[in-house]
């Protein structure tokens, strides 16, 4: 048994506890949570904030060997072309980078990951179960003639995937309507949504940089008829009624949000550091907060981020949207993340759960609201 306390304990299942005490057993299961009292001799006291382990809702672990290899601010089309050009590497190099990236996530307090896979490179690492994974086996192919063969290959990968997995579409500009129809939409689906302005332009009137991408692939897209609407309000109907994770949302407008929110339960994933890396822009996070969307956080891959750290994503949000406080962002990444993936043991500090405990140091207060805020110097370490 350990009794652990800190300046603040954010259980996320109730109000923050000043000097709250968490009792855990030797399996790191929470046995009790006690309100603040005077530190006693058998309590381990940490200076800082204790919160549950983080969920990284969007990552591509298999691209970890591309760290520091791709130029920044090329726009999405340039980025995709660079990934295609540079992703091939020796298997040994790919596997080593995957293991190092997982180590880094664990060190940064990440306990669960929604991970995109186009291959089986990450499967052996995931079998070690050091981290909870939901693997999204991602399909990619805009030519409807190839839809069935692409889907069949994904089913083969799905059969080998460890832990939990589902087949998912890559993005509205890279998946044909026919391929969308083949996907089992009773499963949890994820999609890269409105990551660039070009995606909306393509759907509205078939213009923009994506035309260059298809030319580069030698793909005749005469079959594609623009809808006159933004991408989201066009393709969303092709994804069924199940739970969906919309990733990036950098160019998502209020009308798009209203359309989708009227159609069931969705989670919206923010990956701010990747957005700055690729497009040098950020989603309208204030609008998402105002609408009380179910938000989660992701790092995206080391091809478009310099680190795999949810704390660094939260710090970027704090820097650009200074009124967003720490507790709200912790609800996004811990509680909402666990709910999204159905990980009942994670997300909040409550009796019977094994959420992992993180320690955040160096924070400040909002003078007006008294809420806790991150600073540029905030750090995270894992207690258990
Ligand atoms: Zn991604």
């Amino acid at each position: 048994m350990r009794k652990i306390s800190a300046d603040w304990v954010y259980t996320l299942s109730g109000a923050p506890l000043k000097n709250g005490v968490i009792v855990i057993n030797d399996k790191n299961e929470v046995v009790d949570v006690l309100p603040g009292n005077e530190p006693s001799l058998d309590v381990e006291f940490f200076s800082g904030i204790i919160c549950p382990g983080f969920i990284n809702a969007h990552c591509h672990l298999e691209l970890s060997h591309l760290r520091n290899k791709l130029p920044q601010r090329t726009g999405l089309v340039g980025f995709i072309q660079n990934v295609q050009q540079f992703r091939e590497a020796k298997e040994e190099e790919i596997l080593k980078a995957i293991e190092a990236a997982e180590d880094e996530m664990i060190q940064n307090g990440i306990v669960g990951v929604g991970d995109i896979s186009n291959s089986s490179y990450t499967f052996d690492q995931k079998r070690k179960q050091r981290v909870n994974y939901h693997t999204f086996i991602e399909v990619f192919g805009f030519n409807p003639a190839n839809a069935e063969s692409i889907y069949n290959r994904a089913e083969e990968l799905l059969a080998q995937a460890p832990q939990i997995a589902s087949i998912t579409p890559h993005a509205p500009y890279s998946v044909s309507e026919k391929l969308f129809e083949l996907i089992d939409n009773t499963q949890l689906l994820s999609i890269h949504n409105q990551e660039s302005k070009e995606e909306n332009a393509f759907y509205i009137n078939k213009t923009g940089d994506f035309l260059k991408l298809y030319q580069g692939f030698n793909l005749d897209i005469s079959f594609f008829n623009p809808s006159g609407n933004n991408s989201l309000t066009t393709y969303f109907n092709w994804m069924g009624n199940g739970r969906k994770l919309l990733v990036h949302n950098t160019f998502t407008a209020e009308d798009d949000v209203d359309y989708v929110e009227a159609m069931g339960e969705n989670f919206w994933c923010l990956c701010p550091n990747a957005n700055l890396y690729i497009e040098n822009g950020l989603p309208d996070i204030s609008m998402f907060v105002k609408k009380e969307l179910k938000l989660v956080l992701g790092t995206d891959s080391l091809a478009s981020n310099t680190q795999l750290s949810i704390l660094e994503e939260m710090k970027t949000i704090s820097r650009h949207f200074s009124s967003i406080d720490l507790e709200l962002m912790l609800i996004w990444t811990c509680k909402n993340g666990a709910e999204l993936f159905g990980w009942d043991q994670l997300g909040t500090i409550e009796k019977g759960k094994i959420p992992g405990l993180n320690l955040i140091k160096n924070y400040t207060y909002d003078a007006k609201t008294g809420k806790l805020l991150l600073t540029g110097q905030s750090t995270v370490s894992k207690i258990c």
Side-chain angles (χ1 to χ4, degrees):
M1 291 279 187
R2 286 173 78 185
K3 289 182 187 169
I4 294 168
S5 182
D7 299 325
W8 287 98
V9 172
Y10 277 70
T11 65
L12 309 182
S13 63
L17 301 173
K18 188 159 176 43
N19 300 138
V21 179
I22 307 157
V23 185
I24 55 169
N25 64 20
D26 50 10
K27 291 185 187 117
N28 295 331
E29 179 184 332
V30 177
V31 178
D32 211 350
V33 182
L34 307 165
N37 50 15
E38 292 304 308
S40 67
L41 280 178
D42 60 344
V43 172
E44 296 172 57
F45 189 84
F46 294 89
S47 144
I49 302 160
I50 294 179
C51 67
F54 300 146
I55 312 290
N56 180 2
H58 183 73
C59 187
H60 305 242
L61 207 51
E62 67 188 14
L63 298 180
S64 298
H65 60 292
L66 295 179
R67 182 179 223 156
N68 297 328
K69 292 226 171 99
L70 306 188
Q72 302 196 18
R73 303 187 188 107
T74 57
L76 184 60
V77 172
F79 176 77
I80 294 168
Q81 288 168 330
N82 284 330
V83 170
Q84 297 302 330
Q85 193 185 336
F86 293 103
R87 77 180 291 164
E88 289 311 317
K90 281 195 193 125
E91 183 169 349
E92 193 191 332
E93 187 193 332
I94 293 173
L95 297 179
K96 226 170 113 185
I98 286 168
E99 188 172 9
E102 189 186 71
D103 286 344
E104 178 182 333
M105 284 200 285
I106 291 170
Q107 244 178 33
N108 288 331
I110 292 169
V111 295
V113 181
D115 188 59
I116 304 280
S117 292
N118 303 112
S119 71
S120 59
Y121 282 129
T122 57
F123 291 1
D124 281 345
Q125 193 63 35
K126 288 170 176 167
R127 269 187 204 103
K128 296 178 189 167
Q129 306 209 29
R130 299 198 304 160
V131 175
N132 295 277
Y133 284 100
H134 182 113
T135 297
F136 293 105
I137 305 289
E138 186 182 74
V139 291
F140 193 113
F142 202 58
N143 185 350
N146 298 334
E148 265 168 43
S149 62
I150 291 167
Y151 188 76
N152 291 342
R153 196 184 150 263
E155 280 200 311
E156 283 166 27
L157 263 185
L158 181 70
Q160 301 164 39
Q163 303 197 31
I164 307 163
S166 53
I167 296 178
T168 211
H170 168 256
Y173 54 82
S174 62
V175 174
S176 61
E177 189 176 349
K178 189 168 171 205
L179 187 49
F180 268 109
E181 280 166 11
L182 290 172
I183 294 169
D184 176 2
N185 58 34
T186 62
Q187 303 293 310
L188 175 62
L189 300 186
S190 141
I191 188 162
H192 293 81
N193 176 59
Q194 294 172 306
E195 194 177 350
S196 69
K197 277 203 245 351
E198 310 299 325
E199 180 180 312
N200 285 328
F202 182 64
Y203 267 79
I204 291 169
N205 54 13
K206 207 175 177 176
T207 58
D209 274 2
F210 278 110
L211 300 179
K212 284 188 215 157
L213 186 73
Y214 305 125
Q215 263 166 22
F217 290 151
N218 266 330
L219 177 62
D220 171 10
I221 53 155
S222 54
F223 60 84
F224 178 79
N225 297 312
S227 66
N229 295 312
N230 274 357
S231 64
L232 181 58
T233 49
T234 308
Y235 77 78
F236 199 72
N237 291 312
W238 307 337
M239 288 181 76
N241 299 321
R243 181 175 284 189
K244 284 174 279 294
L245 174 61
L246 298 163
V247 180
H248 290 304
N249 315 302
T250 329
F251 295 88
T252 301
E254 196 161 351
D255 284 352
D256 296 327
V257 170
D258 290 342
Y259 181 90
V260 162
E261 285 296 286
M263 292 174 70
E265 186 181 41
N266 302 290
F267 287 74
W268 303 78
C269 183
L270 306 174
C271 306
N273 286 335
N275 301 149
L276 293 173
Y277 193 112
I278 297 174
E279 291 279 341
N280 199 24
L282 288 173
D284 187 354
I285 300 178
S286 312
M287 184 263 286
F288 294 165
V289 171
K290 193 181 83 195
K291 290 191 171 286
E292 299 181 348
L293 300 186
K294 274 260 164 91
L295 294 170
V296 294
L297 301 179
T299 58
D300 214 343
S301 73
L302 284 172
S304 61
N305 204 335
T306 54
Q307 72 247 303
L308 299 181
S309 166
I310 289 295
L311 183 83
E312 293 301 325
E313 302 299 324
M314 294 197 287
K315 281 161 76 171
T316 296
I317 293 172
S318 297
R319 202 163 57 242
H320 291 268
F321 302 88
S322 57
S323 66
I324 297 180
D325 70 279
L326 175 62
E327 186 180 15
L328 184 60
M329 292 188 287
L330 289 176
I331 288 172
W332 299 346
T333 190
C334 303
K335 192 176 181 179
N336 291 356
E339 186 191 336
L340 164 66
F341 294 111
W343 289 327
D344 300 337
Q345 295 289 300
L346 307 180
T348 57
I349 301 173
E350 287 180 86
K351 262 188 222 178
K353 295 198 176 193
I354 309 176
L357 299 179
N358 288 344
L359 179 69
I360 297 173
K361 282 177 170 270
N362 305 324
Y363 56 93
T364 185
Y365 293 89
D366 183 325
K368 271 193 232 139
T369 62
K371 296 217 177 223
L372 270 52
L373 304 172
L374 292 172
T375 74
Q377 279 70 50
S378 299
T379 58
V380 67
S381 58
K382 192 175 165 65
I383 296 175
C384 68

